[in-house]
Amino acid sequence: MKALTFSCLWALMWLAQFSYAHEIKEPQRIVALAPHIVENLFAIGAGDRIVGTVDYADYPAQANEIERVGGYYGINMERLLSLKPDLVLAWKTGNKAEDLAYIEKLGIPVAYSNPDQVDNVADELRKLGELTHLKTRADRVATEFEVKLAAIRASQQDKLPVSVFYQLWPEPMMTVGGNTWINQLLTICHADNVFANSETDYPRISIENVLVSKPEVIIIPDEKSKKPQPQIDWRQWPELPAVQHNQFISVNADLLHRFTTRMLDGLSEMCGKIDISRKQIQASK
């Protein structure tokens, strides 16, 4: 009850001191509730306006100095309010709905980032440019993204398909379905995700599921974790084509799993590694 009373007190103090119009002329104190939002704000030159963010927002290096207001577990409202933001940028599918509803109820302007297609990154950059009044810089960064993405697609268009298993997480073992961001990136590389037809976006699977799917390549993202993750020695199953051809690829999760301009660096690297595997597989047949 004391916590609730304290939160209400903060809310009343906030509303008494600040009044909001529906449009912010030019926000100078931004709370960004996702790592990809932080990166994109820095990319368009608005990084110095971020006063609060969440765990794992670690790029560029300056982002590590920004005050943390929460993470996947939720947002600390009292800490957020103490930063006096004039705009909160939220990730609709990555932040808790009840937290976002509470922020809106307080009258704090909230804008949402919810990219679900690779091409949406350019749209997100331009939207941030509109919100921060940095349209010229944002449009330039967005155009550079579009040009580079088109070049990667063109470089891959004639490649032969190769079947891949993307080991998203080892324990519990998880992969990606056909509606996911990662599957879109694999498709650009002309890699056929063996679990693309899964009923869920991030299905839990077993060793047996992988054995049945017979991937030619196994892709393992280098994912950050606060505790060491178990390693799966796929060489125990020589019947797997990926084991037979010795095709294991490591990719940078920080690049590939975030909706940012750096994603194209990770995509280019992954496509290049898949292409090497493709050539080695073809040569061995």
Side-chain angles (χ1 to χ4, degrees):
M1 188 67 183
K2 287 183 179 179
L4 179 61
T5 302
F6 188 54
S7 296
C8 291
L9 178 60
W10 264 109
L12 290 171
M13 291 172 60
W14 176 270
L15 292 174
Q17 186 174 358
F18 296 92
S19 61
Y20 288 103
H22 288 293
E23 295 183 5
I24 295 296
K25 291 183 178 180
E26 188 171 347
Q28 296 298 320
R29 298 184 62 80
I30 300 172
V31 170
L33 298 181
H36 76 271
I37 298 175
V38 171
E39 284 197 33
N40 287 335
L41 284 170
F42 272 100
I44 67 168
D48 59 347
R49 303 188 196 178
I50 307 171
V51 295
T53 188
V54 290
D55 298 344
Y56 295 107
D58 56 5
Y59 188 89
Q62 302 96 296
N64 291 296
E65 301 172 6
I66 300 171
E67 178 79 17
R68 307 288 137 157
V69 299
Y72 68 90
Y73 44 83
I75 304 301
N76 184 319
M77 292 300 169
E78 291 154 9
R79 190 174 299 165
L80 183 148
L81 290 173
S82 72
L83 297 173
K84 300 181 175 60
D86 48 24
L87 178 64
V88 171
L89 293 172
W91 182 17
K92 186 158 276 188
T93 57
N95 299 130
K96 289 187 174 182
E98 56 268 33
D99 286 344
L100 301 180
Y102 186 72
I103 294 170
E104 288 187 343
K105 188 175 180 179
L106 292 176
I108 304 173
V110 180
Y112 290 96
S113 169
N114 201 41
D116 58 7
Q117 300 292 320
V118 175
D119 297 274
N120 288 162
V121 172
D123 300 330
E124 292 282 315
L125 291 164
R126 291 190 173 99
K127 179 180 177 181
L128 291 176
E130 293 269 358
L131 289 168
T132 58
H133 291 228
L134 294 169
K135 293 172 61 176
T136 301
R137 170 75 178 269
D139 188 62
R140 182 170 70 251
V141 175
T143 300
E144 290 172 355
F145 176 90
E146 290 168 332
V147 170
K148 187 173 180 179
L149 177 58
I152 294 174
R153 280 181 167 141
S155 72
Q156 297 297 308
Q157 62 184 359
D158 295 325
K159 305 293 185 181
L160 293 173
V162 58
S163 64
V164 304
F165 161 53
Y166 196 92
Q167 182 187 298
L168 184 63
W169 202 250
E171 190 177 289
M173 190 183 296
M174 298 177 67
T175 187
V176 295
N179 294 323
T180 60
W181 169 268
I182 295 300
N183 190 71
Q184 293 179 51
L185 300 182
L186 292 171
T187 300
I188 291 173
C189 298
H190 279 217
D192 292 338
N193 174 12
V194 294
F195 291 100
N197 294 325
S198 297
E199 295 182 358
T200 59
D201 288 347
Y202 301 100
R204 291 190 179 188
I205 56 172
S206 64
I207 297 291
E208 290 71 22
N209 295 141
V210 179
L211 295 179
V212 170
S213 68
K214 300 184 184 303
E216 296 174 290
V217 179
I218 294 176
I219 302 176
I220 303 174
D222 181 16
E223 185 72 73
K224 287 183 179 178
S225 177
K226 292 183 179 180
K227 61 180 181 178
Q229 290 299 306
Q231 300 294 315
I232 300 175
D233 182 9
W234 289 105
R235 300 179 197 281
Q236 297 178 65
W237 296 278
E239 62 269 36
L240 277 173
V243 175
Q244 294 169 13
H245 300 298
N246 193 32
Q247 297 304 324
F248 301 92
I249 293 175
S250 175
V251 295
N252 189 323
D254 273 358
L255 298 181
L256 287 171
H257 295 180
R258 294 184 184 181
F259 314 101
T260 70
T261 57
R262 291 195 306 147
M263 176 272 294
L264 295 184
D265 296 331
L267 175 62
S268 180
E269 179 186 32
M270 182 171 72
C271 286
K273 289 182 176 181
I274 290 174
D275 199 31
I276 292 173
S277 291
R278 180 185 290 112
K279 291 175 181 176
Q280 292 176 350
I281 291 169
Q282 292 298 316
S284 65
K285 290 184 178 179

